[in-house]
């Protein structure tokens, strides 16, 4: 069987369309029943309980008849890469699926072990390949496949017509006729990367600075727009709500309704702002005016999504007013051509995995 394993939501969302396609083809697929991947995987796939603490992972793979591994990387959850190390020791082929434009090389040693180079390191586009090469990832393992987690985005854009957007905005409660809807994409920066230079992963800012900065710059436009905040799965909703209430001033809006996905909200919004979330990339793919607000940024790896042509990028505290003005004046564009590459990504990866099994 082909084992699919991921810890973070981003990695799980990238693997799910591949697993679904493989089961449709009749391939033997096992899903590690772990996190979002386990909760949302196809019912036609075999679900494997995570190995117990201290288990011999190589023996665990043999016991379940695993012939290859497809895994996503994770900042905090090291089980997928631990399984990858066991697969390497057992001589099993593996594919690592990247889901975001950063830390290309560091992802291969997130658990503190030696760098693990998979047979195939699947990256989303030419930009990701070039940046991975610049970080020293070997060219032989890199394969541009598209982003399988975005495979259905083109269809969703096509389906999100005026009636759909009006209905979603009514459910959100903001962005009614005559008012623009601004989506702010949350990230738990303070929790994940720290609040100052003493943290090795320090970005140079946190959400506690960025959301108030956005709200302050939008005060003059409060008579014509509303703000809906898309929480990250790891956000503390109580803290985020308190931050919004402190920063909002005269702005109308609030946290997105529970159960509504970030993608739905971005599709329904007129403009999208955030820091470095992949939802900013989705907004850019849709042609929406997109703002990456990262004041005081000290990490170059967080620029990749933000520096695409057409995204307004603010990385200094003094440029926020001009950047916000440019973003608010920007007009929507046609959807980007990269959507076609992402549409094909599940099939590209499924073909690759099946070729590995057959040799």
């Amino acid at each position: 069987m082909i084992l699919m394993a991921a810890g973070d939501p981003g990695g799980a969302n990238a693997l799910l369309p591949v697993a679904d396609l493989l089961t449709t083809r009749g391939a033997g697929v096992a899903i590690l029943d772990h996190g979002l991947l386990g909760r949302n995987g196809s019912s036609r796939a075999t679900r494997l309980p995570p190995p117990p603490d201290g288990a011999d992972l190589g023996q665990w793979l043999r016991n379940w008849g695993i012939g290859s591994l497809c895994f996503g990387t994770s900042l905090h959850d090291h089980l997928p890469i631990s399984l990858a190390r066991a697969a390497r020791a057992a001589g099993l082929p593996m594919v690592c699926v990247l889901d975001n434009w950063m830390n290309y090389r560091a992802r291969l040693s997130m658990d503190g072990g030696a760098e693990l180079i998979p047979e195939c390191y699947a990256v989303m586009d030419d930009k990701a390949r070039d940046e991975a090469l610049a970080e020293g990832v070997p060219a032989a393992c890199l394969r541009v496949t598209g982003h399988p987690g975005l495979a259905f985005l083109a269809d969703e854009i096509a389906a999100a017509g005026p009636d759909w957007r009006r209905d979603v905005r009514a459910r959100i409660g903001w962005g009614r006729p005559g008012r623009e809807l601004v989506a702010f994409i949350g990230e738990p920066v303070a929790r994940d990367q720290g609040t100052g230079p003493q943290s090795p992963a320090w970005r140079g800012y946190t959400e506690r600075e960025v959301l108030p900065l956005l709200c302050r710059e939008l005060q003059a436009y409060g008579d014509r727009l509303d703000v809906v905040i898309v929480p990250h799965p790891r956000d503390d909703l109580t803290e985020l709500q308190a931050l919004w209430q402190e920063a909002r001033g005269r702005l109308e809006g609030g946290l997105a309704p529970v159960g509504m996905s970030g993608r739905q909200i971005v599709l329904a919004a007129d403009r999208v702002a955030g820091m470095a979330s992949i939802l900013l990339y989705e907004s850019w793919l849709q042609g929406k005016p997109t703002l990456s607000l990262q004041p005081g940024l000290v990490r170059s790896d967080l620029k990749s999504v933000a520096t695409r042509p057409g995204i307004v990028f603010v990385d200094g505290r003094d440029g926020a007013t001009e950047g916000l003005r440019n973003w608010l004046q920007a007009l929507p564009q046609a959807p980007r051509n990269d959507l076609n590459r992402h549409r094909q990504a599940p099939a590209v990866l499924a073909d690759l995995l099946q070729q590995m099994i057959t040799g």
Side-chain angles (χ1 to χ4, degrees):
M1 290 192 295
I2 302 169
L3 175 62
M4 317 291 286
D8 286 355
N13 286 328
L15 297 193
L16 283 167
V18 185
D20 289 344
L21 180 57
L22 285 167
T23 57
T24 299
R25 292 179 176 182
V29 176
I31 288 178
L32 187 68
D33 195 358
H34 179 65
L36 186 146
L37 183 65
R39 294 193 298 273
N40 293 278
S42 170
S43 59
R44 291 172 293 186
T46 300
R47 272 180 167 68
L48 303 187
D53 291 342
D56 181 330
L57 297 184
Q59 187 61 50
W60 185 86
L61 291 169
R62 288 189 291 273
N63 289 345
W64 286 108
I66 301 304
S68 65
L69 173 67
C70 182
F71 71 103
T73 59
S74 173
L75 181 64
H76 301 290
D77 190 327
H78 297 157
L79 180 54
I81 196 168
S82 296
L83 288 169
R85 293 189 187 282
R88 167 59 49 79
L92 303 181
M94 70 183 83
V95 174
C96 178
V97 180
L98 186 66
D99 66 274
N100 210 339
W101 286 260
M102 63 180 70
N103 301 325
Y104 305 95
R105 188 170 182 178
R107 289 171 185 269
L108 303 176
S109 56
M110 281 291 189
D111 59 347
E115 191 171 79
L116 177 71
I117 305 298
E119 281 76 7
C120 173
Y121 196 4
V123 297
M124 301 78 63
D125 58 12
D126 296 335
K127 183 177 179 67
R129 180 197 58 206
D130 293 345
E131 291 175 350
L133 285 171
E135 287 191 7
V137 177
C141 73
L142 289 169
R143 174 79 179 269
V144 177
T145 62
H147 194 315
L150 302 178
F152 306 113
L153 182 56
D155 294 335
E156 292 179 47
I157 293 171
D163 292 343
W164 182 91
R165 294 178 73 245
R166 184 173 57 250
D167 290 346
V168 171
R169 288 157 80 118
R171 288 169 55 198
I172 293 172
W174 303 296
R176 295 186 181 277
R179 296 183 66 83
E180 285 198 7
L181 183 64
V182 170
F184 175 77
I185 311 303
E187 294 180 66
V189 178
R191 175 179 295 184
D192 287 354
Q193 284 89 33
T195 58
Q198 70 277 6
S199 171
W202 168 237
R203 290 189 180 192
Y205 64 86
T206 74
E207 73 278 18
R208 299 169 188 170
E209 176 185 359
V210 171
L211 182 56
L213 175 59
L214 177 69
C215 291
R216 185 166 64 248
E217 295 293 336
L218 290 180
Q219 290 301 305
Y221 307 93
D223 59 343
R224 66 175 178 87
L225 58 78
D226 301 326
V227 178
V228 58
I229 299 171
V230 180
H232 188 277
R234 290 194 302 278
D235 268 322
D236 182 309
L237 298 185
T238 301
E239 290 182 2
L240 188 58
Q241 175 67 17
L243 180 62
W244 162 249
Q245 292 298 340
E246 292 171 7
R248 63 183 295 181
R250 64 190 292 258
L251 295 173
E252 295 294 328
L255 271 62
V258 175
M260 187 168 289
S261 72
R263 180 173 294 179
Q264 285 179 302
I265 292 171
V266 170
L267 283 164
D270 297 296
R271 301 176 190 277
V272 178
M275 292 164 274
S277 169
I278 192 173
L279 283 172
L280 297 183
Y281 176 68
E282 292 195 22
S283 171
W284 176 80
L285 284 173
Q286 295 172 43
K288 294 183 184 291
T290 304
L291 168 69
S292 172
L293 193 55
Q294 302 190 65
L297 180 65
V298 296
R299 286 177 46 185
S300 60
D301 59 310
L302 294 172
K303 293 183 178 181
S304 185
V305 169
T307 52
R308 293 175 185 273
I311 292 182
V312 176
F313 177 40
V314 175
D315 61 352
R317 291 176 175 83
D318 296 334
T321 299
E322 181 181 359
L324 266 289
R325 184 170 57 247
N326 292 338
W327 170 61
L328 290 168
Q329 292 174 350
L331 299 175
Q333 305 294 317
R336 310 283 176 172
N337 291 333
D338 280 6
L339 286 165
N340 293 324
R341 171 176 275 169
H342 302 321
R343 189 200 297 269
Q344 299 165 9
V348 171
L349 280 160
D351 290 346
L352 184 63
L353 286 160
Q354 290 186 297
Q355 290 166 8
M356 282 184 168
I357 288 288
T358 58

